[in-house]
Amino acid sequence: PTNWALLRGDAEASFYRDLGAMPAKRLAVVGSPDEPVSRTAPPASDQVVYAPSPHSPQVLRADIDVIRCALEDPVRVSLHPRMRSPEYLQLFPAEWVIVDAPNTSTYLREHGAKAVIQHGSGVGLEALALGLEVIDLCHHGERPNYPYISGPLVQVVHDAHGLREAMDRLPLRSDQRDERIAHARSWCTEPSEDVVKTIADIIERTSTSTGPGEVLLDGWSRYLGHGK
């Protein structure tokens, strides 16, 4: 339980309301406090970018096997910052190219991508905000890690056959760039310097109040006697 939830977008607030967060007025959509980025569209590219997360080697090997079985051409690999150790680097096929970039978002803004393949990562939200295609690897029996990962604007695949089909559909989805950006912004609004001030104002207001006020409870509230 907490007193306020400062959220990044309307879809995020709706997600928590649907989980039973109450009172809803304690869900404040403030936006993203990140640094503002360029709105310029990334350059066109025929390269597929794999943006792995620091999962276990077993999970990563399964992802790599799916990609190798589905795609004929080598892919570009944009590593998570915590994956630059030899333990991770040795997992990737020799013909795959490890890109030199401080982070995936920067690489995508500068180079673009035909599609970004991930396994339950927040980087997909950054790619969608650039209007890029995102394909999420979600193995059989799993569900996506984040609620923004949902069709039709994010293709979720479970095996090599599904990944091949997703790649084949890309030409039919080329006119959905604006929809992908709107989907991303519904979960995380465009970064703005005003967001930090909004957050500071709410913190200041709550810190000077006479009491903590109402407690914001999530879906567990029904088991605590607060829900219906």
Side-chain angles (χ1 to χ4, degrees):
T2 185
N3 297 111
W4 285 90
L6 307 186
L7 306 174
R8 298 179 300 170
D10 291 330
E12 196 170 42
S14 295
F15 173 75
Y16 284 112
R17 280 195 296 269
D18 291 343
L19 286 179
M22 54 184 293
K25 64 182 180 181
R26 292 271 170 169
L27 299 172
V29 177
V30 298
S32 172
D34 295 333
E35 289 290 326
V37 297
S38 172
R39 298 184 184 184
T40 304
S45 174
D46 61 356
Q47 301 292 336
V48 175
V49 174
Y50 173 41
S53 297
H55 296 297
S56 69
Q58 180 182 3
V59 171
L60 289 169
R61 288 191 190 98
D63 287 350
I64 292 168
D65 287 345
V66 167
I67 297 171
R68 292 188 75 179
C69 289
L71 307 182
E72 295 181 0
D73 297 328
V75 303
R76 299 289 193 268
V77 180
S78 182
L79 294 172
H80 187 281
R82 296 204 306 269
M83 295 182 65
R84 302 186 185 278
S85 67
E87 176 190 8
Y88 286 115
L89 292 175
Q90 67 183 357
L91 297 174
F92 302 103
E95 66 271 20
W96 288 14
V97 179
I98 308 295
V99 304
D100 183 17
N103 53 62
T104 301
S105 181
T106 298
Y107 179 82
L108 294 175
R109 283 199 306 272
E110 294 178 352
H111 300 277
K114 181 179 182 179
V116 178
I117 300 175
Q118 64 161 28
H119 185 147
S121 170
V123 75
L125 201 58
E126 299 169 0
L128 289 168
L130 295 170
L132 299 175
E133 283 278 3
V134 173
I135 301 173
D136 192 78
L137 297 178
C138 186
H139 298 162
H140 291 289
E142 293 182 353
R143 63 179 182 179
N145 285 352
Y146 296 100
Y148 84 85
I149 302 173
S150 61
L153 294 172
V154 178
Q155 297 193 79
V156 180
V157 303
H158 304 287
D159 50 33
H161 176 71
L163 180 54
R164 280 193 295 270
E165 289 188 331
M167 294 298 298
D168 289 342
R169 285 191 290 267
L170 293 183
L172 304 176
R173 298 164 55 89
S174 60
D175 62 346
Q176 297 179 2
R177 181 176 185 274
D178 289 345
E179 287 86 345
R180 287 191 286 272
I181 294 174
H183 179 67
R185 292 306 179 209
S186 72
W187 285 96
C188 181
T189 61
E190 191 167 2
S192 167
E193 295 177 356
D194 295 335
V195 172
V196 174
K197 183 179 184 303
T198 301
I199 294 173
D201 288 345
I202 293 176
I203 293 174
E204 175 68 18
R205 189 165 69 248
T206 57
S207 65
T208 58
S209 62
T210 56
E214 295 175 280
V215 172
L216 175 66
L217 297 170
D218 60 14
W220 289 99
S221 61
R222 71 193 65 179
Y223 303 108
L224 301 176
H226 295 277
K228 294 180 180 181

